[in-house]
Amino acid sequence: MRFTRTTALAAAGLLSFGLLAACSDDADPDASPTGAQSAGGDEKVTIRVAGLLPTADDAAKQQLAERVEAFEAEYPDITVEPEDYEWLNSTFTTQLAGGTLPNVFEIPLTDGKTLIENGQLADIDAQVRALPYGEDFNETLLANGQDDAGTIFAVPAKSIYAVALHYNRNLFEQAGLDPDDPPTTWDEVRAAAKTIHDETGVAGYATMALDASGGWQLAAGANSRGGVIETSDGSGAYTATLTDPAVKEHLEWLHALRWEDDSLLARADLGWGEINAAFAGGELAMYTSGSDVYNALVEGNGVTADWGYGLTAIPTSGDGGALTGGTLAAVRKDSTDAEKDAAVKWIDWWYLSKLQDQDQAVADAKTRAEADPAQAVGTPVLPIFSEELYDQNLEWIKDYVNVPLDDMTGYTDVMFTQNLVPEASVATQDLYNQLFPVVQAVISDEGADIDSLLETANTAGQAAIDAAS
């Protein structure tokens, strides 16, 4: 998942962010501009850090290189070695166990608690709390990277996303549809998908079906219809609910697109990266993914501001809402104290200070906008801190915003008011891994027995929950 993708964040908690702390008048004059303390005095240290997706283009690499150069100028005793990084459920466990992860790496929000309980992340509590905004994270969000005692082992590193509907405005126009009036219900999505296919020959809709990504987006579809894939009794006992009627309803909807309308892209091999590439290549008109995926489309798939990209809210009905998620930055368990100090400085520099500090925000936006080709600046996301600070950040970087915000209003008009649904709290990836074969079956087998497949998946999902609890 883009990280893509993942948080146990309650909807009511998302917007209750703390205010930006004022700088202390008696601050250490020798401290860095961001307030981070020295990494082991004059000790020189080298850290490996998660960099870009393997598919990132030269402009994205240039932007990262420039930020690394500026960081090393600010902290001459620290050498930063970025490396390509993409969190994949199928390889992460092996990398973690084998000690091959970089000092700074990214994980889905929902994986934080399990990794902390297993003693697999470094304690970075002191370093994070020393930052000027160390006490200003949303408490509910930060809890995903804390143990029961409140010790910080990972921090929110990328803004929280909500699953949204991405669409090709050019294909809408070619099919005689109004791209400024995108679908707001699943019935309207189905109708638009069929029209697009009938008029252009291009698949009107596609869904992820490969690995955990397929289960992630099936869960998002179920959440939008008022269902969930896991429940809790409030006392620590969790129950798999992969047989929730909303899960079946969304599968039947996909089945209808595939076998009745012939408007669903007939590929069961689409993960997060694959569906991005297919969308950018014009193979499909609509799909759901994290609301911030435009950055990846620009940096990895060559999409430009005049490409014809559109973003709107995921259709919801009843008590349904948009599945939320995001990313934590963590530090490798065997990192030395000097490496941990340096790692948190990098986390501050690369991920967070640009959200808090005008100079950092402008420097980051300027570098991205002036890259060749230009990188996305201003993609709408839900902020880690406050809505007010988010708006302030956009004001700081307004001269460099280059994303087609006018074509994203279907999402931005509701991003702070839509109902938000947290991901499953226990065995999240295991549940997704049980669901994706069901999605694949619906795409590839017209006679797939959805009820039986979901019963089997639910039994395995419950076993995974029991093993993790």
Side-chain angles (χ1 to χ4, degrees):
M1 295 164 289
R2 144 50 199 93
F3 296 132
T4 132
R5 354 176 1 216
T6 38
T7 178
L9 184 60
L14 243 179
L15 299 180
S16 59
F17 296 92
L19 297 176
L20 176 62
C23 294
S24 173
D25 289 336
D26 58 354
D28 179 1
D30 296 323
S32 75
T34 58
Q37 300 301 306
S38 172
D42 294 329
E43 180 179 352
K44 294 187 180 297
V45 61
T46 298
I47 55 171
R48 295 162 48 226
V49 302
L52 304 171
L53 292 170
T55 56
D57 61 18
D58 289 342
K61 294 175 183 177
Q62 173 192 338
Q63 191 260 344
L64 173 57
E66 290 179 4
R67 296 295 288 154
V68 169
E69 182 179 2
F71 176 85
E72 291 178 342
E74 179 69 27
Y75 301 106
D77 294 329
I78 304 173
T79 299
V80 173
E81 297 180 349
E83 54 190 58
D84 290 349
Y85 184 87
E86 181 177 10
W87 186 93
L88 294 173
N89 185 50
S90 57
T91 60
F92 177 77
T93 301
T94 301
Q95 293 173 311
L96 183 64
T100 60
L101 290 170
N103 296 95
V104 177
F105 57 93
E106 300 173 356
I107 56 174
L109 278 163
T110 45
D111 285 16
K113 289 289 190 183
T114 299
L115 294 173
I116 292 168
E117 290 172 2
N118 292 341
Q120 294 172 300
L121 303 181
D123 177 348
I124 54 174
D125 188 83
Q127 291 86 352
V128 172
R129 295 191 188 280
L131 298 170
Y133 51 83
E135 303 295 336
D136 297 323
F137 291 98
N138 176 308
E139 292 182 2
T140 305
L141 177 57
L142 182 63
N144 290 280
Q146 295 175 293
D147 64 11
D148 292 341
T151 302
I152 299 171
F153 290 82
V155 295
K158 293 180 180 176
S159 296
I160 306 306
Y161 66 82
V163 170
L165 183 67
H166 309 266
Y167 66 102
N168 184 319
R169 292 173 58 87
N170 292 333
L171 285 174
F172 267 63
E173 290 181 346
Q174 292 171 29
L177 301 173
D178 183 358
D180 293 325
D181 186 25
T184 59
T185 69
W186 286 115
D187 285 344
E188 290 178 358
V189 172
R190 179 180 177 182
K194 187 175 190 309
T195 298
I196 290 168
H197 176 263
D198 291 349
E199 295 297 325
T200 71
V202 176
Y205 192 83
T207 187
M208 297 180 206
L210 183 66
D211 295 334
S213 297
W216 172 50
Q217 285 309 294
L218 175 55
N223 294 156
S224 75
R225 299 172 184 270
V228 293
I229 62 171
E230 181 182 88
T231 60
S232 170
D233 66 0
S235 64
Y238 291 85
T239 301
T241 56
L242 307 188
T243 54
D244 188 301
V247 178
K248 180 179 179 180
E249 183 182 4
H250 200 67
L251 286 166
E252 290 177 333
W253 181 84
L254 291 170
H255 186 276
L257 267 66
R258 171 71 176 92
W259 301 105
E260 295 177 25
D261 301 347
D262 195 27
S263 62
L264 181 73
L265 186 63
R267 288 183 58 182
D269 63 343
L270 297 174
W272 181 82
E274 291 83 2
I275 203 167
N276 289 347
F279 179 69
E283 293 183 46
L284 61 120
M286 293 179 283
Y287 73 113
T288 57
S289 186
S291 52
D292 59 347
V293 81
Y294 183 75
N295 281 10
L297 293 171
V298 171
E299 295 171 14
N301 304 106
V303 169
T304 59
D306 59 357
W307 180 88
Y309 171 85
L311 175 67
T312 192
I314 190 172
T316 57
S317 58
D319 295 329
L323 177 64
T324 59
T327 301
L328 291 172
V331 177
R332 206 175 64 211
K333 172 74 173 178
D334 62 355
S335 297
T336 66
D337 287 343
E339 288 171 339
K340 289 197 298 182
D341 289 346
V344 172
K345 281 184 171 65
W346 174 254
I347 290 170
D348 168 53
W349 184 274
W350 179 241
Y351 298 105
L352 299 174
S353 63
K354 62 188 177 184
L355 306 178
Q356 294 274 350
D357 179 84
Q358 182 173 359
D359 290 342
Q360 290 286 335
V362 172
D364 181 76
K366 183 176 186 294
T367 301
R368 294 180 65 85
E370 294 180 354
D372 184 19
Q375 302 301 288
V377 178
T379 300
V381 291
L382 292 170
I384 288 172
F385 299 103
S386 69
E387 181 178 350
E388 292 76 18
L389 187 57
Y390 175 85
D391 290 338
Q392 178 64 73
N393 190 280
L394 282 179
E395 179 64 24
W396 289 337
I397 65 172
K398 64 181 180 181
D399 292 341
Y400 301 101
V401 171
N402 57 13
V403 304
L405 289 176
D406 288 344
D407 299 331
M408 300 177 174
T409 55
Y411 176 72
T412 56
D413 284 351
V414 302
M415 62 183 284
F416 289 111
T417 58
Q418 65 181 338
N419 184 33
L420 299 171
V421 181
E423 285 192 283
S425 299
V426 177
T428 313
Q429 302 300 324
D430 294 302
L431 296 181
Y432 291 159
N433 279 323
Q434 294 305 320
L435 284 174
F436 85 79
V438 187
V439 180
Q440 291 182 329
V442 166
I443 294 173
S444 58
D445 180 6
E446 185 175 4
D449 187 339
I450 294 175
D451 288 325
S452 177
L453 290 168
L454 288 178
E455 285 288 352
T456 299
N458 197 67
T459 299
Q462 187 62 52
I465 290 173
D466 293 342
S469 299

